[in-house]
Amino acid sequence: QVQLVESGGGLLQAGGSLRLSCAASGRTFSDNTVGWFRQAPGKEREFVAGINWNGANIVYADSVKGRFTVSRDNAKNTVYLKMNSLKPEDTAVYYCAADSSLFGANVGVLLAEYEYWGQGTQVTVSS
C-alpha cells in the first residue's frame, strides 16, 4: 500500500510560480508511474502531467505544456510539479496519483489507470 501526500499549494497572483510535492509513505513508489491531476470547482478531474518510474517518459496536458514541469527524486521518494506562469484557470485542487504497475514505460492519462491517490492540495490563482 502506498500513501501519497501532496504539499506546496497556496494562493497567488497570475504569473506566479509554485512547486507542488508528492511524497510517498508506506512503501517506495520509485518503481511506479506518477501522475498529477487537478479538479476545478464544478469540473471533472483532469490529467495535468505524468512521469514514469525513471523519468524517461513524461507527458503533459496541452493546457500546461511549456509552463509546468514534472520531475522526481526517487532517493527522496518524492515527485514534483513546478508550475510557472500560473493563470486563474489553473485554480484547482491538485492531486498526485501512482499506478500499480512496476517499471512501466507508459504514462497513463486516465484516472482509472492510477490506483493510489493523495488527498489533494489547493492552488488558487487570482487575476
Side-chain angles (χ1 to χ4, degrees), residues 22-122:
C22 173
S25 62
R27 69 167 179 82
T28 179
F29 70 172
S30 60
D31 305 332
N32 303 85
T33 291
V34 174
W36 285 97
F37 292 78
R38 67 186 181 186
Q39 188 165 18
K43 295 188 176 180
E44 294 186 351
R45 195 170 298 188
E46 64 176 2
F47 174 81
V48 174
I51 183 169
N52 81 315
W53 73 278
N54 63 355
N57 191 11
I58 293 175
V59 177
Y60 296 99
D62 287 344
S63 59
V64 306
K65 208 171 287 185
R67 300 187 298 123
F68 290 12
T69 302
V70 62
S71 62
R72 67 190 303 158
D73 185 339
N74 285 341
K76 295 183 178 180
N77 221 20
T78 303
V79 173
Y80 304 98
L81 183 68
K82 180 66 186 301
M83 307 184 295
N84 295 326
S85 302
L86 282 161
K87 305 174 182 179
E89 51 263 44
D90 294 317
T91 294
V93 177
Y94 283 71
Y95 301 88
C96 65
D99 74 0
S100 59
S101 62
L102 301 180
F103 306 112
N106 295 328
V107 175
V109 299
L110 302 177
L111 276 69
E113 297 179 272
Y114 293 85
E115 181 171 353
Y116 308 105
W117 290 82
Q119 293 302 305
T121 185
Q122 176 71 47

